Amino acid sequence: MFTVRTKSVLEETRLPLRVWVYAIWKAASSKKGISALQLSREMETTHKSALFILRRLRHGLMEENPPKLTGTVEADEVYIGGRPRYVSRSNMGTYADYKTPVVGIVQRGGDVRFRVMPRITAETLGQFVTENADHSCRLITDDLKAYKTVGLTFEGGHKYTRHSHRQYVKPGTDIHSNTIEGVFSLLQRAVMGTFHNVSRKHLPNYLNEFQFRWNTRKLNDDERVTRVVKSLVGKRLEYRESVERPPYE
């Protein structure tokens, strides 16, 4: 039997449609997202049901074959996560031991792209940048050496600021990476203040949500909700898939 849920992430769910509609509205209208615990309290459902809903909404927000960015693009990397508890400073290790590397690239006045990386290297950065930005772009980064090789392939050139020397904007120019750092700021504040903990396994789905939110920042809430509903069509996530439960969300 065909219903409005057929061929979407809502298919075969036993939750009432009103619950899904409310969750879609809250997820689309909350600037820094909404946690599963908060959603379960507002909808008067279980935490498990709220996780089930948000997991599928974030999966539905995934863009398939998005167009390449053009014009001036900024690229940077960030590490998501916190320090391990009860570990001495001498045994703390590197960021890669307890944080998840995320690379982002944003078009000024346009869209953003995220990706979780196993490691930050010249090869992984180069592959990500070339897959998401047109070669006619002007690339702007910080002075990380890993960007130098890929910067040579852009017709618009590669400019950078010396963050290692506390230079964040080149005087008298528009050379800076403040746009992508602003995007990362919203992501980090949401992880810290709303979700509190995001596992490496499920971080890509959270990035889907924040990539969508940034790319639709110029829309009002009604238009954004409509865009969410349309993006859920044709995507499925089986109920039997194991869901990792964040300890504090």
Side-chain angles (χ1 to χ4, degrees):
M1 182 177 66
F2 181 85
T3 68
V4 294
R5 306 184 189 197
T6 304
K7 294 184 179 180
S8 73
V9 296
L10 282 67
E11 189 168 350
E12 296 184 3
T13 176
R14 298 181 181 180
L15 294 170
L17 189 59
R18 59 179 175 81
V19 172
W20 283 94
V21 172
Y22 182 84
I24 291 172
W25 172 265
K26 292 296 293 187
S29 61
S30 302
K31 186 175 182 179
K32 296 183 178 65
I34 184 170
S35 68
L37 279 174
Q38 180 66 27
L39 190 62
S40 66
R41 286 193 292 267
E42 294 184 10
M43 297 191 305
E44 297 182 350
T45 61
T46 64
H47 184 209
K48 182 178 180 181
S49 295
L51 280 175
F52 172 86
I53 293 171
L54 291 176
R55 174 75 175 91
R56 277 144 188 80
L57 291 182
R58 291 171 183 138
H59 174 76
L61 294 177
M62 177 178 56
E63 290 188 78
E64 297 178 348
N65 302 317
K68 287 193 174 185
L69 306 179
T70 58
T72 298
V73 296
E74 302 174 16
D76 200 4
E77 64 287 337
V78 69
Y79 291 84
I80 303 297
R83 292 182 180 180
R85 293 185 177 182
Y86 314 118
V87 177
S88 65
R89 186 174 296 275
S90 59
N91 295 326
M92 190 171 294
T94 63
Y95 273 0
D97 295 331
Y98 56 91
K99 290 178 179 284
T100 304
V102 174
V103 179
I105 185 170
V106 64
Q107 175 183 327
R108 288 188 181 173
D111 292 351
V112 70
R113 307 279 185 266
F114 293 122
R115 183 176 299 173
V116 174
M117 293 290 185
R119 290 183 60 194
I120 299 296
T121 64
E123 181 180 358
T124 57
L125 285 178
Q127 181 181 4
F128 170 76
V129 171
T130 54
E131 286 179 0
N132 290 279
D134 191 84
H135 286 290
S136 63
C137 290
R138 179 179 62 151
L139 177 65
I140 299 180
T141 67
D142 56 21
D143 54 348
L144 185 67
K145 292 182 179 179
Y147 288 111
K148 288 188 175 181
T149 302
V150 65
L152 298 174
T153 64
F154 285 90
E155 298 175 1
H158 174 214
K159 307 295 182 180
Y160 59 90
T161 54
R162 298 183 180 275
H163 284 188
S164 59
H165 292 77
R166 297 182 180 273
Q167 182 192 61
Y168 301 101
V169 180
K170 284 196 172 181
T173 70
D174 64 344
I175 299 173
H176 62 80
S177 56
N178 294 338
T179 310
I180 186 63
E181 289 179 4
V183 178
F184 283 148
S185 177
L186 291 174
L187 173 62
Q188 289 176 304
R189 288 174 184 273
V191 172
M192 182 183 302
T194 302
F195 305 117
H196 304 302
N197 179 69
V198 177
S199 68
R200 187 184 296 256
K201 175 183 177 181
H202 290 288
L203 182 57
N205 278 290
Y206 286 81
L207 296 180
N208 289 341
E209 177 183 351
F210 280 88
Q211 179 173 304
F212 172 84
R213 186 170 286 114
W214 176 267
N215 295 346
T216 58
R217 66 193 182 280
K218 298 179 182 179
L219 304 180
N220 59 40
D221 288 345
D222 291 342
E223 295 170 332
R224 194 176 298 109
V225 169
T226 302
R227 186 76 65 86
V228 172
V229 173
K230 290 181 178 180
S231 68
L232 302 180
V233 177
K235 298 174 183 175
R236 286 294 310 276
L237 198 59
E238 297 295 335
Y239 180 83
R240 62 178 174 271
E241 185 201 28
S242 59
V243 176
E244 180 180 344
R245 178 173 178 172
Y248 301 116
E249 186 187 337

